[in-house]
């Protein structure tokens, strides 16, 4: 996978005129879902700091019941508190994991910062154990730097 090319494609989507934020984010989700075979669910969650919850934003993949996630709950909720990327090779080994589907084996969640504030995250699930590498993490962290520019 050429992550540099993929990042450039994502940047192009984020710069498209005539599209709102939601459409751009959905376009990025679709790009990642279509381009990386083990990205089986790709979506954004956004923080409501007053209510201390994450709210589901644009995503591509199977429907999820997890449209609201309390800070601290599950992998996404833990990232809302820690402000750090969380890469999980085996979700069954996590005590605080919220099961989206029995098919999910690994997950990576990368926080999204705007002006130093964690406003949300990109969440990616895989049906493959230990699917995500340091290269995926670096790519997704760089991607979120670009996503931050549309806020």
């Amino acid at each position: 996978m050429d992550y540099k090319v993929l990042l450039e494609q994502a940047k192009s989507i984020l710069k498209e005129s005539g599209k709102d934020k939601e459409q751009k984010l959905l376009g990025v989700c679709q790009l990642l879902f279509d381009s990386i075979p083990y990205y089986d669910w790709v979506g954004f969650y956004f923080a409501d700091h007053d209510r201390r919850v994450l709210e589901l934003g644009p995503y591509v993949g199977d429907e999820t019941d997890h449209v609201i996630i309390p800070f601290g709950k599950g992998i996404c909720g833990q990232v809302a508190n820690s402000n750090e990327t969380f890469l999980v090779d085996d979700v069954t080994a996590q005590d605080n994991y919220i099961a989206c589907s029995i098919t999910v084996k690994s997950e990576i969640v990368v926080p999204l910062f705007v002006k130093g504030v964690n406003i949300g995250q990109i969440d990616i699930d895989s049906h493959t154990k230990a699917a995500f590498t340091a290269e995926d993490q670096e790519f997704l962290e760089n991607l979120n730097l670009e996503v931050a520019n549309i806020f």
Side-chain angles (χ1 to χ4, degrees):
M1 171 53 49
D2 190 337
Y3 290 102
K4 285 182 183 168
V5 169
L6 200 54
L7 187 59
E8 289 306 315
Q9 291 171 330
K11 283 183 190 178
S12 294
I13 291 169
L14 293 168
K15 290 177 183 170
E16 285 180 23
S17 58
K19 288 193 174 177
D20 66 21
K21 239 182 271 184
E22 296 276 316
Q23 292 168 317
K24 290 176 182 181
L25 293 173
L26 184 59
V28 168
C29 291
Q30 192 69 58
L31 173 69
L32 300 185
F33 183 85
D34 291 343
S35 301
I36 302 178
Y38 53 92
Y39 282 23
D40 295 304
W41 191 95
V42 180
F44 287 93
Y45 281 93
F46 292 98
D48 179 332
H49 289 282
D50 293 333
R51 293 176 38 225
R52 296 197 43 79
V53 296
L54 295 164
E55 298 175 339
L56 182 62
Y59 72 94
V60 174
D62 293 338
E63 279 191 43
T64 180
D65 292 336
H66 303 117
V67 294
I68 303 285
I69 299 174
F71 283 17
K73 183 100 170 113
I75 309 305
C76 291
Q78 290 176 73
V79 169
N81 281 338
S82 73
N83 296 323
E84 294 178 5
T85 297
F86 198 160
L87 191 158
V88 180
D89 287 334
D90 180 1
V91 296
T92 63
Q94 289 295 312
D95 292 338
N96 194 9
Y97 175 68
I98 301 173
C100 293
S101 161
I102 59 167
T103 58
V104 175
K105 305 293 186 222
S106 59
E107 181 174 12
I108 187 169
V109 179
V110 179
L112 173 61
F113 296 97
V114 174
K115 296 178 182 159
V117 176
N118 181 349
I119 66 152
Q121 54 202 224
I122 189 167
D123 176 21
I124 302 178
D125 295 340
S126 181
H127 299 163
T128 306
K129 268 191 185 175
F132 305 106
T133 65
E135 226 179 358
D136 287 294
Q137 181 172 335
E138 181 182 359
F139 163 68
L140 293 167
E141 288 171 352
N142 286 327
L143 173 67
N144 270 0
L145 292 174
E146 298 301 326
V147 170
N149 292 327
I150 69 169
F151 287 88

